[in-house]
Structures are given as structure tokens and as C-alpha cells.
Amino acid sequence: MNNKDILYVSPIRIHRKILIFMQTIAPGLVVSLAIAMASAFIADNYGGPTLLYALLFGMSCHFLVENGRCLPGIEFASRTVLRAGVALLGARITLEQIGALGLKTMLIAIIAVAATICVGWISARLLGQSADLGILTGCAVAISAVLPKHENSERNTLLTVVGVTGLSTIAMISYPILSKLFGLDSEQTGIFLGGTIHDVAQVVGAGYMISPATGDIATVVKLLRVAMLVPVVIVVTWLFRARQAPEQRQKIPMVPSFLLAFVVLVIINSTNMLPHAITEGMGQLSRSCLIVAIAALGIKTSLRKLTQVGWRPIIMLVGETIFLAALVLLCLLN
């Protein structure tokens, strides 16, 4: 076979591999996408948290895991699509937004994130839970992309989603009242809401419930917490990488590629090179990817297994939430 034959055959082989790949992942991916679309439709028209709907609907379709045709696509959605969603969050953040918050606000956000992770890890050790569950509850869903996989990984992630979504919904209603009781002004309230509520949707809802200015500040503070995923994920990756056997360690990158994409998007977005419509679209795509990933995680986990986690992880989540609210309030009032 001469060079011309090779050049002619190679595209056909590449096309065939792509076709086989798509045929393999299509069933599970389409199911996850359908659940995500149904969840978004219900949330948009009847209210409620989209991620929670996606999770519950996905869990009701757990039987699809037993279908060999759907499993590869579900795995793809729960891992690759999740990482894409986290990477695309960078399109919602600019360095100017972060700098405009001021040094005190940035320090509060940094201290709050670091302290919550430490409390999660310590709580896990005291309550006899795995260290990765403590880190996961302290960082929420995005960190799950780099945590080591084991038989309880999906269950832990789903437990965190349920807890975070439920507690964020309660916080969306109660925290504006709490901020008023403590006499916080609109700027302090925005910092408090963005620095304590876990889910972006509930942060936006609580902030704009008070005023546009409070909503803007709350959203930027929350996005600053999202930006802090960069150092957190790097540290967590290195820690768990060091604990792996040498042959497994080579499979774990020093810095995950999706995290590099996140940083690149933040830098590009900060230069105003991209039109607002494109960055807005990327932000919406990020949200869509996260919904699809949560739907897939729901499919992978059975309700029976979720009920076996016991009361300790619930205590961890509630305790971390109360600690975070108290810490940020203390920083704002002093």
C-alpha cells in the first residue's frame, strides 16, 4: 500500500471509529438528555430546582443500568459531560468581576471555602465516613470529577446533590430573612448569600428577591467560589494521586484538562474577545451539561442504596451549612 492509499483509507477508518463511538454512547446519552430536558421543562413552567428533578427522574430510571446498550452512554454523561459543564463555567467569570469585589470579600470567600472543606474532612473522620465524602460535601458536585472511583462514588455524589439542593432551597427562603435580622446592608447581604448558598440558581433567586444590586453582588461572589475550584481541584488531585499505586498514578494527570479549559475560558472572557451572546450561550451550555450529568448519575444509583447511607452524612451536610453561614456572618459583622 503506497502513501496515497494510506491518506485515502485513514479518514474512512477515523469516520468508522467515530460512528462506532456514537452508536455505543447514543442510547444512554439520549436517555440522560431526555431526562434533563423534562426536568428543565417542569422547573421552568412549574418552579422548583432543576437539578433535583433531574436527579429524581434519573433514579426512577435506574433499571436502564442493567441494559448493556445504555450503560456506556450513561457513564459518558456522568463523567465526560460533567467535566465539560465544569469547564464551561469559566465563560461566566472575568478577572475584572473578581477584582471588583475587593480584598475583604475575596478573603472571606477564600476562608469560607477552605474552612468548609476542612470541616467536611474532619467531620467525615469523626463520624467514621470516607475522606473523599467529607471533601465532596465541602466542595459540592464539581469536585467529584477528580475523586477516586469506588463502589459508593455515585451514591456519595447523589447524596451530596440531594443535600446541597435541599439545603440551598431552604437557604434561599431563610437567608434573606436572616440577613435582615442581623442588619446587613444590600452589599453585605449579597456577599452573605453568594458566600453561603451552595447552588447558583438559589443564589440568584435569593439575591434578586431582595434587589438587583444584591443579586448582582451575590452572583459574582458565588462565581468567585466557583473560580476557587481551580486550586482546590489541583490540591485534591495531587493528594489522591500520591495515594495511588505507581502504575495507577500515571493515569491521573497532575492538572485535569477540564480545569485548564476552565482557566483558559476565564482569561478569554476577561479580555472581552468573545461577544456577549457567545459567553451567555456557553454559560447556558454549562448549566445544560451539569443537568445531563446529574440525570446520568441518578440513573446509575438506586434509591435502595441511597437509603443505606445512614444519618451521619446528613449530619455532615447540615453541620457544614450551619458552620459556613456562621463563619461568613462573623466575618461580615466584624
Side-chain angles (χ1 to χ4, degrees):
M1 182 179 292
N2 57 37
N3 291 337
K4 290 184 178 180
D5 292 330
I6 294 174
L7 291 174
Y8 177 75
V9 173
S10 295
I12 297 178
R13 291 179 177 174
I14 293 173
H15 180 268
R16 186 176 298 167
K17 289 182 179 180
I18 293 174
L19 184 61
I20 294 173
F21 175 74
M22 293 303 298
Q23 289 175 338
T24 302
I25 69 168
L29 184 59
V30 168
V31 169
S32 302
L33 182 59
I35 293 174
M37 292 174 65
S39 303
F41 176 81
I42 293 175
D44 292 342
N45 289 276
Y46 300 100
T50 308
L51 291 179
L52 184 57
Y53 289 147
L55 171 63
L56 296 177
F57 292 160
M59 291 172 64
S60 69
C61 297
H62 175 67
F63 63 91
L64 292 173
V65 172
E66 300 174 1
N67 185 333
R69 291 185 60 200
C70 291
L71 186 57
I74 293 170
E75 292 283 358
F76 177 84
S78 65
R79 298 192 64 182
T80 305
V81 176
L82 173 63
R83 296 182 181 192
V86 175
L88 288 169
L89 281 173
R92 301 182 59 178
I93 306 172
T94 66
L95 297 175
E96 184 180 359
Q97 287 175 328
I98 296 174
L101 293 174
L103 181 59
K104 181 180 179 181
T105 302
M106 287 191 285
L107 286 176
I108 290 175
I110 292 170
I111 292 171
V113 170
T116 305
I117 295 171
C118 291
V119 168
W121 183 81
I122 293 171
S123 300
R125 305 297 291 179
L126 293 176
L127 293 171
Q129 302 298 300
S130 61
D132 60 294
L133 176 59
I135 295 173
L136 180 62
T137 56
C139 299
V141 179
I143 200 72
S144 66
V146 297
L147 289 176
K149 301 301 176 185
H150 49 78
E151 60 180 357
N152 294 326
S153 296
E154 284 79 17
R155 188 190 69 182
N156 291 345
T157 302
L158 286 177
L159 174 69
T160 304
V161 172
V162 172
V164 163
T165 304
L167 291 171
S168 294
T169 303
I170 295 172
M172 181 179 68
I173 300 170
S174 60
Y175 281 11
I177 300 172
L178 191 64
S179 63
K180 189 173 183 180
L181 290 176
F182 280 91
L184 302 181
D185 58 32
S186 60
E187 181 180 349
Q188 290 176 320
T189 300
I191 296 171
F192 174 64
L193 297 177
T196 55
I197 300 178
H198 300 296
D199 192 62
V200 177
Q202 278 86 338
V203 169
V204 173
Y208 287 105
M209 189 187 303
I210 298 173
S211 70
T214 300
D216 290 343
I217 294 172
T219 302
V220 174
V221 172
K222 173 56 184 175
L223 292 178
L224 172 61
R225 290 170 61 196
V226 172
M228 288 198 60
L229 285 172
V230 176
V232 170
V233 171
I234 290 175
V235 171
V236 170
T237 302
W238 287 352
L239 288 175
F240 282 102
R241 188 176 187 270
R243 291 168 51 183
Q244 299 294 321
E247 61 274 10
Q248 293 294 325
R249 196 177 302 165
Q250 301 300 323
K251 300 179 182 179
I252 305 176
M254 295 293 289
V255 181
S257 57
F258 75 93
L259 195 59
L260 291 175
F262 176 92
V263 174
V264 170
L265 283 175
V266 171
I267 295 172
I268 293 175
N269 196 30
S270 301
T271 61
N272 295 319
M273 292 173 57
L274 297 176
H276 176 72
I278 293 179
T279 57
E280 185 69 21
M282 294 174 74
Q284 292 296 328
L285 181 58
S286 169
R287 176 70 174 172
S288 300
C289 287
L290 294 176
I291 297 171
V292 171
I294 294 302
L297 286 169
I299 297 173
K300 290 175 65 176
T301 300
S302 67
L303 183 60
R304 180 179 59 83
K305 290 183 179 180
L306 194 60
T307 58
Q308 295 174 353
V309 298
W311 56 270
R312 290 181 176 84
I314 307 298
I315 294 295
M316 283 173 53
L317 279 165
V318 174
E320 289 164 17
T321 301
I322 294 173
F323 169 80
L324 181 60
L327 178 63
V328 175
L329 270 176
L330 185 64
C331 291
L332 289 171
L333 295 175
N334 288 330

